[in-house]
Amino acid sequence: MQKFRNLTILMIAATGVAACGPSTPDAPPSTTAAAQAPSTTAAAASSGPGRPAGCGTDFLAKLSVREKVGQLLMVGVTDAADARRAVRQGVGGVFIGSWTDASVFSGGTLQAVAKAGKVPAMVSVDEEGGRVSRVPGANLASARELARTKTVAQARAEGARVGKLMKSMGITVDFAPDADVSAQSDDSVIGDRSYSDDPAVVAKYSQAFAAGLRDGGVYPVYKHFPGHGSSSGDSHRGGVSVPPLGALKQKDLLPFRAAVTAGDAGVMVGHLTVPGLTEPGLPTSLSPATMRLLRTGAGYGAPRFDGPIFTDDLSGMKAVTDRFTVPQAVAKSLEAGADVALWISTDQLGAAIDAVEASVTSGKLSRKQLDDSVLRVARAKHAVRC
């Protein structure tokens, strides 16, 4: 354990941080009554470590409750028209998947999509390399191959190369690197998506690749908290268990602790059952206990995490859909403490917005929690710069 801790400290000292993102839009304030006056909790929500009181209050005051809710949603899209419609409905981000028309990557299409709404939208993709590659021309090796054949410095250079390519296409968020620790065979659910079965190696290479993405102008998101590498199966197909929390603390959580300490990245939570952590019937993506573990750091030796927490896909995973509809899962994930609920189509977008707005009205999702999440997302895409 001590060698991992020492190595993490050295890596943090060596890792540079470069921020990027769209600038604040010159959008007129909303004409709704809710938007004309700041929320009574806006000032509290906008302050944080190293930030002045009231940071972000003006941004929050421009948004109605429904517009704030939209900022916490990210949907997969089929083509440019689908993406523009979603952004005009107020979503905070769109996801470009393997099913999306590849023409969106050219001609400034995604840049235009991002600007189609009141607040610039995140444009996200899964570009891990290897078999999880979505960006034309990325030519990126799998994580396991990268760690086997490249130095840490070269891994950062690869992240920068791919990051620059993605930025040129209008992509602003990459759901990578994979920080799972795994000895699974290459073609298993995690397998070669993991850098190594050694948490120290995973920590070094995932941080280097994330730093490279930032160098290239793209926001990295580590996944799949609290660790999918020793999973019992594939959450696309049903419920998935991993070792108990005590075991995860000794191995799987170490790269995430290093990532949180380094900062300037998001974290994606998987759909896992963790003995000693998750509540009965709830995967980690819908689990308040899991969100508290990540947010506070208490229990696995990490500092408080104040970046955005993303869910894994809430619509294509039987670990979730066997029990909940998409609108239910979206609302439950945000109530649990996630900042961005992700799913892979726009057909239930209106129903999901309605479900979350109802959660705010009922108090299940408090106004303060809503404002906190909106500001975390806004800072990640530089719509708020304090």
Side-chain angles (χ1 to χ4, degrees):
M1 175 70 76
Q2 185 62 43
K3 71 176 183 178
F4 299 147
R5 183 176 295 112
N6 292 343
L7 183 54
T8 296
I9 292 170
L10 288 173
M11 288 185 298
I12 293 165
T15 302
V17 175
C20 66
S23 60
T24 306
D26 295 323
S30 168
T31 57
T32 65
Q36 287 175 347
S39 164
T40 56
T41 61
S46 59
S47 61
R51 299 189 186 103
C55 169
T57 302
D58 290 345
F59 177 81
L60 291 171
K62 295 179 180 180
L63 302 176
S64 68
V65 168
R66 192 170 181 85
E67 288 170 332
K68 290 176 182 178
V69 167
Q71 287 300 299
L72 308 188
L73 309 182
M74 179 174 282
V75 292
V77 296
T78 57
D79 55 24
D82 194 30
R84 282 192 295 271
R85 282 192 298 269
V87 174
R88 286 168 183 161
Q89 282 184 262
V91 298
V94 295
F95 176 68
I96 309 303
S98 58
W99 62 90
T100 308
D101 187 330
S103 66
V104 299
F105 292 108
S106 61
T109 299
L110 293 177
Q111 290 92 335
V113 163
K115 297 175 182 178
K118 185 173 181 177
V119 179
M122 290 178 168
V123 179
S124 66
V125 71
D126 277 330
E127 183 54 57
E128 301 176 22
R131 59 193 163 113
V132 184
S133 183
R134 305 289 181 252
V135 177
N139 299 321
L140 180 64
S142 70
R144 184 169 289 174
E145 182 71 7
L146 197 67
R148 188 182 70 82
T149 61
K150 303 290 185 181
T151 66
V152 172
Q154 288 170 331
R156 179 168 182 165
E158 279 293 271
R161 177 185 65 80
V162 175
K164 289 174 184 176
L165 174 64
M166 289 191 284
K167 184 180 181 183
S168 73
M169 296 175 173
I171 298 164
T172 60
V173 175
D174 187 12
F175 290 124
D178 192 310
D180 296 315
V181 181
S182 186
Q184 293 175 346
S185 60
D186 282 358
D187 61 353
S188 61
V189 60
I190 298 299
D192 63 358
R193 300 167 66 189
S194 168
Y195 291 97
S196 175
D197 63 351
D198 181 340
V201 172
V202 174
K204 284 194 299 183
Y205 276 87
S206 62
Q207 284 196 66
F209 189 78
L213 289 175
R214 290 192 296 268
D215 293 342
V218 170
Y219 190 77
V221 178
Y222 293 87
K223 61 188 184 187
H224 307 82
F225 187 89
H228 205 315
S230 299
S231 59
S232 63
D234 185 345
S235 54
H236 291 86
R237 300 175 181 175
V240 171
S241 294
V242 296
L245 179 59
L248 295 185
K249 291 178 183 179
Q250 301 302 313
K251 183 178 180 180
D252 299 74
L253 278 164
L254 297 179
F256 290 102
R257 186 177 70 191
V260 168
T261 303
D264 201 23
V267 174
M268 175 180 280
V269 176
H271 306 304
L272 309 169
T273 297
V274 183
L277 177 63
T278 49
E279 300 85 346
L282 293 178
T284 45
S285 56
L286 308 182
S287 161
T290 301
M291 302 300 175
R292 284 195 300 272
L293 179 71
L294 175 53
R295 184 64 71 203
T296 66
Y300 79 110
R304 176 177 173 81
F305 176 60
D306 202 37
I309 299 174
F310 297 78
T311 72
D312 204 344
D313 168 30
L314 295 169
S315 62
M317 307 280 193
K318 288 190 175 182
V320 174
T321 58
D322 279 351
R323 292 180 57 88
F324 304 101
T325 66
V326 169
Q328 287 172 337
V330 168
K332 283 185 173 293
S333 70
L334 298 176
E335 291 166 10
D339 299 302
V340 179
L342 167 68
W343 74 103
I344 60 173
S345 68
T346 58
D347 58 347
Q348 298 187 71
L349 177 55
I353 294 174
D354 289 344
V356 180
E357 190 172 23
S359 180
V360 175
T361 300
S362 70
K364 291 181 180 179
L365 179 60
S366 72
R367 297 295 184 97
K368 182 182 186 307
Q369 187 175 338
L370 176 66
D371 285 350
D372 285 347
S373 290
V374 169
L375 287 178
R376 288 189 192 102
V377 173
R379 290 187 185 106
K381 54 189 176 184
H382 287 191
V384 168
R385 293 182 177 272
C386 61

